[in-house]
């Protein structure tokens, strides 16, 4: 009996050793999208502590995306030593790293219970959820399942300001890997267009070694965007040892990893011959397809699905034919969005809008749709949307409209946005209304405050600062509670100059009446351009009139009328006849005068004389906080911000 037990233990030991020789950790595949899945058979909770050491030096790949594009911000997000991060990437401590550039992040990886991880700390922002944090903020270096497993919260929902622990995916080499010369494991973030052999070549690593490290079969080397792949390294990585990725091209099937020890070299030779023949035939077949598409132009009426399946993120290897119909620039723009951006099938959007029925039409090329029981706004366009999506990817603010997904079909892009139930501000200010409701003074001030908050975020909290360039009442949408959200980022661009400087453009586009003089006349672009447009919007909010109507229409010009009123000996009395009569005098006149002076300062011809959005936001906040009828007579300019005090 004792001999049988020893024999059984010996067999089990052999089996265990064999497993360790061939693999270290299972590849996660598509499990990261199912937040309800807690099964760790695919390492969705983390890489198992099966290494020779319980702690080790490990490395991550993170792609620089604002606001995480400096040594300090990236090291703070990923719990890395900023000095080591600076040295390994050969950048200075205060340098801003180019957007989408791969950053090597050194970390101390250690066992925490059953799993290897690096524990980072993160403060939840407004509208965050575990999937968004894992796949957008951390780009796939964590999972929603690991976040749920790590953090036991007393509330069902996530509230902004709550600090959570983020378990970052890392691992230490097993004994067998160490015996083979592997000293470090790097967690690499897969992007669309990656395949195992390409990534391995990038780090000068044998493809078979990478396959074995992730328990990926040579027969099915499929990998998926926005998941991690462990790269076994002999030496620490740095910016000079990583081989640059080759240009995007049609990939031939990934080369096979070194096969297990076989009976002889003859069998290996036959394998290589067969694989070579198959590769050559596949390449020839692809060339024929390309020639046919270029010279014979197949029927364009056939619908095509997006390159990335919305639920399963189909792999690059299986969708190369569809990639020919996709924009490379678009793929680059969504590479940082991860799984927070849903890619819809066209059939889903047809079902949501009953084949884009006229009864779902909102205005222009925008339709209302119902997706999974929730309303959405679906915008159809045939223009290049890469820049717009790239900007929407960088922003996350309550007062900026949120892009939830995209679709591409027969030359058209379909952008799916959150739905604003009460439509545009223009519909409530001066267009014919289908309802008798009139926006109250308090609602109008809150809307102005919301727009100022969104613009301040664009100007001060994106890097580089961005300018919307098309602020107007029709681009301000109102949700169920009449809270404002800025929409339509098709003209938005970065303001590359330093504070107080201008960028130049010869391509003048925008809406007449809202464009600042320096932009209209000389093509100067700066955040002060949005300040001028915001002043026009506030003027329309207060008066209920269309301020953009010019002199040629035979009507008075509202900005000039406002200047005349403020220059009068009794501006309050004149202001009563200027404010929207539908309010029926139901507003505090002293606060209305402050608003009028704020508007006038925004409309100064010299951009240097206009206040910045942060000052405007502070002033509006003060006015909103002092919205008390009994005390309004005591409000004076010196009680507000310095910005208010400077208004004439």
């Amino acid at each position: 009996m004792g001999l049988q037990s020893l024999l059984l233990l010996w067999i089990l030991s052999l089996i265990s050793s064999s497993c360790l020789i061939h693999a270290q950790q299972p590849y996660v595949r598509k499990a990261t999208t199912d937040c309800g899945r807690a099964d760790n058979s695919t390492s969705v909770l983390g890489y198992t502590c099966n290494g020779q050491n319980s702690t080790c030096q490990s490395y991550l790949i993170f792609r620089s995306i604002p606001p995480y594009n400096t040594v300090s911000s990236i090291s703070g997000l990923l719990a890395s030593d900023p000095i080591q991060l600076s040295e390994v990437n050969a950048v200075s401590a205060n340098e801003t790293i180019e957007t989408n550039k791969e950053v090597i992040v050194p970390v101390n990886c250690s066992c925490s219970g059953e799993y290897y991880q690096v524990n980072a700390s993160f403060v939840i922002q407004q509208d965050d959820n575990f999937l968004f944090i894992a796949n957008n903020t951390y780009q796939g270096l964590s999972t929603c399942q690991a976040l749920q497993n790590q953090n036991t919260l007393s509330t069902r929902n996530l509230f902004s300001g709550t600090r959570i622990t983020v378990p970052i995916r890392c691992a230490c080499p097993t004994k067998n890997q160490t015996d083979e010369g592997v000293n470090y494991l790097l967690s690499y973030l897969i992007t669309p267009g990656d395949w195992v052999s390409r990534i391995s070549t990038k780090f000068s690593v044998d493809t078979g070694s990478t396959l074995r490290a992730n328990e990926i079969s040579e027969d099915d080397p499929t990998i998926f965007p926005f998941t991690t792949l462990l790269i076994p390294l002999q030496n620490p990585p740095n910016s000079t040892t990583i081989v640059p990725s080759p240009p995007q091209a049609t990939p031939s099937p990934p080369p096979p990893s070194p096969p297990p020890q076989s009976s002889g070299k003859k069998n290996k030779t036959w394998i290589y011959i067969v694989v070579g023949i198959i590769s050559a035939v596949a390449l020839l077949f692809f060339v024929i397809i390309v020639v046919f598409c270029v010279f014979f132009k197949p029927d364009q009426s056939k619908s095509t699905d997006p390159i990335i399946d919305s639920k399963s993120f189909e792999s690059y290897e299986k969708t190369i034919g569809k990639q020919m119909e996709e924009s490379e620039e678009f793929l680059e723009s969504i590479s940082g969005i991860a799984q927070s951006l849903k890619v819809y099938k066209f059939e889903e959007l047809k079902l949501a809008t009953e084949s884009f029925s006229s009864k779902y039409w909102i205005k222009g090329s925008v339709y209302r749709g119902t997706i999974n029981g929730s309303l959405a706004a679906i915008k159809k366009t045939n223009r290049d949307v890469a820049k717009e999506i790239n900007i929407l990817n960088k922003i996350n603010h309550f007062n900026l409209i949120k892009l939830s997904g995209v679709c591409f079909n027969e030359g058209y892009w379909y952008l799916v946005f959150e739905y604003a139930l009460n439509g545009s501000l223009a519909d409530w200010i001066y267009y014919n209304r289908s309802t008798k409701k009139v926006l109250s003074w308090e609602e109008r001030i809150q809307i102005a405050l919301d727009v100022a908050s969104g613009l301040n975020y664009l100007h001060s909290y994106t890097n580089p600062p961005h300018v919307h360039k098309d602020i107007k009442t029709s681009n301000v949408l109102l949700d169920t509670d009449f809270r404002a959200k800025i929409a339509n980022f098709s003209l938005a661009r970065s303001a590359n100059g330093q504070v107080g400087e201008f960028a130049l453009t010869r391509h003048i586009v925008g809406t007449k009446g809202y464009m600042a003089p320096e932009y209209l006349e000389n093509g100067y672009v700066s955040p002060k351009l949005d300040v001028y447009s915001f002043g026009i919007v506030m003027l329309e909010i207060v008066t209920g009139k269309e301020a953009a109507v010019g002199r040629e229409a035979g009507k008075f010009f509202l900005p000039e009328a406002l200047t005349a009123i403020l220059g009068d000996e009794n501006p309050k009395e004149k202001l009563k006849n200027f404010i929207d009569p539908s309010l029926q005098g139901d507003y505090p006149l002293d606060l209305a005068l402050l608003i009028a002076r704020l508007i006038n300062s925004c409309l100064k011809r010299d951009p240097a004389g206009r206040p910045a959005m942060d000052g405007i936001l502070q002033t509006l906040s003060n006015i909103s906080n002092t919205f008390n009828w009994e005390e309004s007579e005591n409000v004076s300019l010196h009680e507000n911000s310095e910005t208010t005090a400077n208004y004439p």
Side-chain angles (χ1 to χ4, degrees):
M1 193 69 176
L3 182 62
Q4 290 178 340
S5 299
L6 288 173
L7 183 61
L8 180 61
L9 287 172
W10 180 70
I11 293 173
L12 289 174
S13 175
L14 283 179
I15 294 173
S16 176
S17 299
S18 176
C19 291
L20 287 172
I21 289 172
H22 290 289
Q24 199 252 354
Q25 303 286 358
Y27 174 54
V28 72
R29 293 188 176 272
K30 297 181 253 184
T32 58
T33 59
D34 183 5
C35 293
R37 178 174 182 173
D39 173 22
N40 201 47
S41 60
T42 58
S43 76
V44 74
L45 294 178
Y47 293 122
T48 306
C49 283
N50 62 354
Q52 188 173 13
N53 300 313
S54 60
T55 182
C56 66
Q57 175 70 63
S58 184
Y59 296 90
L60 318 169
I61 289 293
F62 182 83
R63 289 175 178 84
S64 170
I65 293 180
Y68 304 107
N69 60 346
T70 63
V71 170
S72 59
S73 61
I74 294 173
S75 61
L77 181 72
L78 300 174
S80 175
D81 185 332
I83 297 176
Q84 291 183 3
L85 191 150
S86 177
E87 290 175 351
V88 77
N89 291 281
V91 296
S92 62
N94 57 357
E95 183 175 337
T96 298
I97 302 171
E98 179 186 350
T99 298
N100 284 329
K101 180 178 176 62
E102 290 184 350
V103 180
I104 304 168
V105 182
V107 292
N108 292 319
C109 185
S110 59
C111 287
S112 179
E114 300 177 45
Y115 312 115
Y116 281 120
Q117 62 191 50
V118 178
N119 287 328
S121 179
F122 181 75
V123 177
I124 294 172
Q125 307 298 310
Q126 189 168 3
D127 298 328
D128 273 350
N129 56 52
F130 280 144
L131 181 63
F132 185 89
I133 294 169
N135 295 333
N136 186 298
T137 305
Y138 283 85
Q139 302 179 9
L141 286 172
S142 188
T143 66
C144 56
Q145 296 93 335
L147 284 167
Q148 291 167 348
N149 187 57
Q150 184 76 36
N151 297 278
T152 304
L153 303 178
S154 58
T155 57
R156 183 181 59 184
N157 298 317
L158 300 183
F159 292 94
S160 59
T162 303
R163 185 173 293 276
I164 61 172
T165 298
V166 179
I168 297 173
R169 298 170 66 79
C170 65
C172 298
T174 64
K175 181 180 184 303
N176 292 276
Q177 286 176 317
T178 303
D179 292 342
E180 292 175 358
V182 175
N183 296 313
Y184 309 96
L185 291 174
L186 179 144
S187 299
Y188 180 84
L189 284 171
I190 299 168
T191 61
D194 275 335
W195 61 97
V196 177
S197 61
R198 184 170 185 245
I199 298 169
S200 299
T201 301
K202 186 172 191 169
F203 291 91
S204 302
V205 172
D206 177 69
T207 302
S209 179
T210 304
L211 290 171
R212 291 194 300 274
N214 296 273
E215 285 189 357
I216 297 176
S217 168
E218 181 184 335
D219 298 325
D220 182 18
T222 305
I223 56 178
F224 301 88
F226 320 119
T227 58
T228 56
L229 190 73
L230 287 174
I231 310 299
L233 303 173
Q234 292 184 349
N235 301 307
N238 59 59
S239 58
T240 60
T241 58
I242 297 179
V243 179
S245 298
Q248 289 284 354
T250 305
S252 58
S257 60
Q261 295 296 324
S262 60
S263 57
K265 295 182 179 178
K266 187 174 181 180
N267 289 339
K268 292 183 179 179
T269 303
W270 276 108
I271 291 174
Y272 295 149
I273 292 173
V274 171
V275 171
I277 293 173
I278 292 174
S279 300
V281 171
L283 182 60
L284 179 62
F285 183 71
F286 178 77
V287 171
I288 293 172
I289 291 176
V290 171
V291 172
F292 181 82
C293 290
V294 171
F295 292 100
F296 296 95
K297 292 183 180 180
D299 184 11
Q300 295 296 316
S301 63
K302 296 180 180 180
S303 64
T304 56
D305 291 335
I307 186 170
I308 307 173
D309 184 88
S310 59
K311 294 183 179 177
S312 62
F313 287 88
E314 291 299 330
S315 67
Y316 179 86
E317 288 90 340
K318 294 184 179 180
T319 56
I320 189 63
K322 296 174 185 176
Q323 183 190 12
M324 294 168 58
E325 301 182 26
E326 297 293 334
S327 162
E328 286 294 331
E329 190 173 2
F330 170 71
L331 279 179
E332 292 175 5
S333 72
I334 68 167
S335 64
I337 301 177
Q339 292 146 338
S340 62
L341 180 72
K342 181 177 177 63
V343 182
Y344 290 94
K345 294 182 178 179
F346 184 60
E347 293 301 321
E348 292 181 272
L349 302 189
K350 285 180 65 178
L351 182 64
T353 59
E354 294 185 12
S355 298
F356 293 91
S357 167
S358 59
K359 69 180 181 180
Y360 289 96
W361 176 75
I362 300 175
K363 64 170 58 177
S365 59
V366 182
Y367 293 80
R368 182 182 71 256
T370 303
I371 302 176
N372 297 327
S374 299
L375 289 173
I378 303 170
K379 180 180 179 180
K380 177 182 177 181
T381 179
N382 61 357
R383 60 178 174 78
D384 185 4
V385 298
K387 290 182 179 178
E388 184 174 358
I389 291 178
N390 188 42
I391 291 174
L392 289 167
N393 174 37
K394 295 176 181 178
I395 60 179
N396 179 26
H397 193 275
F398 175 77
N399 299 120
L400 303 178
I401 201 73
K402 185 176 182 180
L403 176 69
S404 60
V406 298
C407 173
F408 180 80
N409 184 69
E410 293 187 351
Y412 284 93
W413 291 104
Y414 298 83
L415 306 185
V416 182
F417 293 95
E418 63 175 307
Y419 186 72
L421 185 64
N422 281 309
S424 76
L425 175 60
D427 294 334
W428 292 89
I429 295 299
Y430 46 73
Y431 290 151
N432 292 329
R433 304 168 184 139
S434 58
T435 172
K436 293 182 179 180
K437 174 180 168 59
V438 174
L439 292 177
S440 68
W441 176 262
E442 187 174 10
E443 287 173 324
R444 296 180 194 220
I445 297 305
Q446 182 60 59
I447 289 169
L449 188 60
D450 286 341
V451 177
S453 180
L455 287 176
N456 185 51
Y457 175 85
L458 279 179
H459 295 176
S460 303
Y461 295 96
T462 58
N463 190 6
H466 278 75
V467 182
H468 186 277
K469 285 183 63 182
D470 200 17
I471 294 296
K472 55 184 178 181
T473 50
S474 59
N475 283 339
V476 175
L477 305 181
L478 304 177
D479 67 10
T480 310
D481 300 317
F482 288 92
R483 296 297 300 274
K485 296 177 183 290
I486 299 172
N488 193 357
F489 287 78
S490 59
L491 300 184
R493 59 162 290 178
S494 64
N496 296 316
Q498 299 297 318
V499 177
E501 296 182 357
F502 297 93
L504 290 173
T505 181
R506 293 181 179 179
H507 184 52
I508 307 300
V509 288
T511 304
K512 189 173 182 180
Y514 293 91
M515 291 186 286
E518 72 276 7
Y519 174 68
L520 192 59
E521 297 169 5
N522 302 304
Y524 291 152
V525 177
S526 79
K528 294 299 181 71
L529 188 156
D530 284 343
V531 171
Y532 183 91
S533 302
F534 176 72
I536 295 291
V537 168
M538 278 206 300
L539 188 55
E540 294 181 324
I541 290 174
V542 169
T543 64
K545 299 181 179 68
E546 194 169 358
V549 174
R551 301 176 184 84
E552 66 275 8
K555 299 181 180 179
F556 66 93
F557 195 45
L558 284 180
E560 293 179 355
L562 177 63
T563 302
I565 289 172
L566 293 176
D568 191 85
E569 292 181 358
N570 189 4
K572 287 186 182 180
E573 202 59 37
K574 295 281 187 180
L575 198 59
K576 288 180 181 178
N577 298 323
F578 191 65
I579 294 177
D580 190 350
S582 65
L583 287 169
Q584 298 180 349
D586 195 7
Y587 54 85
L589 190 55
D590 283 305
L591 294 185
L593 182 60
L594 291 180
I595 292 290
R597 287 174 174 165
L598 174 60
I599 294 171
N600 196 52
S601 68
C602 292
L603 299 180
K604 287 186 177 296
R605 183 172 182 82
D606 181 5
R610 299 173 203 150
M613 283 311 306
D614 57 351
I616 295 171
L617 180 62
Q618 183 61 50
T619 299
L620 284 171
S621 297
N622 290 342
I623 291 174
S624 178
N625 291 335
T626 55
F627 184 67
N628 185 311
W629 285 52
E630 288 74 22
E631 299 178 0
S632 64
E633 289 296 326
N634 297 322
V635 177
S636 60
L637 285 175
H638 72 273
E639 292 174 324
N640 289 282
S641 67
E642 291 184 24
T643 307
T644 307
N646 291 328
Y647 300 148

